Amino acid sequence: MGQFSQRELMQLTGINPGSPLGAHLAQQPDEGSRPAGKPQNMTEVIDSDTYDIKLDKSNILMLGPTGSGKTLLAQTIARCLDVPIAICDCTTLTQAGYVGEDIESVIAKLLQDAGGNVSRAEQGIVFLDEIDKIGSVPGVHQLRDVGGEGVQQGLLKILEGSVVNVPEKSSSRKMRGETVQVDTTNILFIGSGAFNGLDRIVSRRKNEKYLGFGAMPVDKQGRRAAAQEGMKEANSGNVLEENTEKDVLIREVEARDLIDFGLIPEFVGRMPILVPFHNLSVDMLVQILTEPRNALVPQYQLLFGMDKVDLRFTPAAIKAIADKALARRTGARGLRSILEHLLLDSMFETPDSPISAVFIDEDVVAGKKHAEYIIIPLNVEPEDELSPRKMDDLDEPLTKERASN
């Protein structure tokens, strides 16, 4: 049997008026019962000069180091936009029929955020966090990966657009209650992940060396080997230089790099927009500590202010905290850990004490000395509250004691 071209196959399967499908189309109602503007047969659909342009969505994949603000960006979008948004964790998703959350649960969360309004949920946003954790591991294809490649396969039709049966709020999926159909064609999906070791995969691709007549390398490593290689290199060298090199490599990520990382090609093709995030610098970490509305330093000042204690940081101390967080390679999340360790003793000693102020300088952050306290003198009346504006006038007569005393 010979090979047919696409045009010949289309003619054989229905466009040809002499085909069985053409005879079926001939039995359709006449023009009087046909809606205005609707073509009569399939040939007119193809040959028609007038058509409507439909805008398709473009799903987004955000990738970057931990603590660079990917999840915070999704939470900020949820507060600013007047659309329902569901922030889901991909680590809990499993393939259908296994213990864990089904893939349709992400649409159920979106429907719940929309208050049960299906038409509003069909215009919402689904944020898939930790999407790199569902990457397949090379070398274990003989095993069923229910939490990795199986989840990617289940997400394919939902990402592209399909009708999903979602259980109602009052019923559970396992109880086989009534379901609601939700069309995911216009739902925007945003994937986010740290993708540890992806920069090593990009570097390996850019530095490939061939031997012989264009021979391809055969030692393809997966994401685990690349992540371990990146951890070994992270233990030595300058942090700023390593972050700069990683930022340059992440900006050159291509689809084949994500496939080598562990994502299947069909899944990568449904995420056409790649948004790389760069590592945070010292100046950015200083801004995160002080400038946002819900910054960490004002949070701890408010916490100490509940006990009428003034907490003060010197600019050198703020920069030292940022330098320490940069050395830990945990991004903005490392700032809170450093502040908790730094202010632990002060938070224990200041309640129900005559301490009126706590000073943190660069030596305190470096561990060379303890935090300095200002004690309320005995001649100050109890009703005379010590406001921050009056602290500068009272610094001289007050005595300073260290936490060790």
Side-chain angles (χ1 to χ4, degrees), residues 83-85 108-122 124:
V83 294
I85 183 170
K109 292 180 180 179
L110 182 64
L111 183 62
Q112 182 180 2
D113 187 77
N117 190 348
V118 177
S119 60
R120 194 165 183 266
E122 290 177 348

Side-chain angles (χ1 to χ4, degrees), residues 270-287:
R270 286 166 172 80
M271 293 282 186
I273 301 179
L274 300 180
V275 182
F277 281 65
H278 56 76
N279 289 276
L280 301 178
S281 62
V282 176
D283 295 335
M284 294 178 183
L285 293 174
V286 171
Q287 292 177 351

Side-chain angles (χ1 to χ4, degrees), residues 253-326:
V253 170
E254 298 179 359
R256 50 180 172 176
D257 301 322
L258 297 174
I259 295 173
D260 292 340
F261 185 83
L263 301 182
I264 60 178
E266 300 91 335
F267 188 84
V268 176
R270 286 166 172 80
M271 293 282 186
I273 301 179
L274 300 180
V275 182
F277 281 65
H278 56 76
N279 289 276
L280 301 178
S281 62
V282 176
D283 295 335
M284 294 178 183
L285 293 174
V286 171
Q287 292 177 351
I288 292 173
L289 283 171
T290 56
E291 294 185 6
R293 297 179 181 177
N294 197 32
L296 291 177
V297 171
Q299 285 185 32
Y300 283 95
Q301 289 177 343
L302 178 62
L303 185 63
F304 277 83
M306 295 179 181
D307 296 319
K308 297 182 180 180
V309 178
D310 186 25
L311 176 63
R312 295 186 179 182
F313 292 87
T314 62
I318 296 293
K319 187 177 183 303
I321 293 173
D323 290 333
K324 186 177 289 188
L326 183 67

Side-chain angles (χ1 to χ4, degrees), residues 92-107 173-174:
T92 60
L93 299 179
T94 56
Q95 199 172 358
Y98 292 87
V99 177
E101 293 188 8
D102 292 337
I103 300 173
E104 291 80 4
S105 63
V106 299
I107 308 299
R173 187 176 184 86
K174 294 182 175 59

Side-chain angles (χ1 to χ4, degrees), residues 245-259:
E245 181 183 358
K246 289 181 180 180
D247 295 340
V248 173
L249 293 174
I250 286 296
R251 284 195 293 265
E252 299 180 1
V253 170
E254 298 179 359
R256 50 180 172 176
D257 301 322
L258 297 174
I259 295 173

Side-chain angles (χ1 to χ4, degrees), residues 1 41 85 92 102 122-124 137 141 144 205 219 231 270 274 291 293 299 323 386 395 400 404:
M1 183 176 180
N41 52 39
I85 183 170
T92 60
D102 292 337
E122 290 177 348
Q123 306 291 332
V137 180
H141 294 291
R144 182 176 292 274
R205 171 175 60 83
D219 54 343
M231 289 298 296
R270 286 166 172 80
L274 300 180
E291 294 185 6
R293 297 179 181 177
Q299 285 185 32
D323 290 333
L386 212 58
D395 280 349
K400 293 186 178 180
S404 60

